[in-house]
């Protein structure tokens, strides 16, 4: 995931006004289990996003 996009997303999502939009970051175990249950391999950008931001509402 591009560092600039991560910085902009972090700036937006971790802003006091948007705290309710951020979910709990996913652990490696949760990611692996989800991939196994869904029979998919997540793209590395998606993994980086959910490890950082969790399941955001944005």
């Amino acid at each position: 995931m591009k560092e600039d996009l991560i910085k902009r997303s972090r700036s937006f999502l971790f802003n006091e006004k948007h705290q309710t939009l951020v979910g709990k970051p996913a652990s490696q175990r949760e990611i692996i289990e989800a991939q196994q249950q869904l029979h998919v391999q997540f793209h590395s950008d998606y993994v980086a996003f959910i490890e950082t931001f969790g399941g955001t509402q944005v």
Side-chain angles (χ1 to χ4, degrees):
M1 193 169 184
K2 292 184 178 182
E3 188 60 33
D4 181 54
L5 180 56
I6 291 173
K7 285 180 186 178
R8 289 186 299 148
S9 298
R10 196 176 268 139
S11 175
F12 177 81
L13 292 170
F14 293 137
N15 180 301
E16 195 173 295
K17 293 184 239 174
H18 304 119
Q19 288 178 345
T20 59
L21 301 176
V22 179
K24 178 183 156 233
S27 69
Q28 278 293 316
R29 182 178 179 167
E30 291 170 319
I31 293 168
I32 291 168
E33 288 176 359
Q35 291 178 120
Q36 290 172 344
Q37 288 178 356
L38 297 170
H39 305 287
V40 298
Q41 183 69 39
F42 296 149
H43 189 277
S44 60
D45 285 348
Y46 180 66
V47 171
F49 184 87
I50 60 176
E51 285 177 326
T52 304
F53 303 108
T56 72
Q57 302 299 314
V58 178

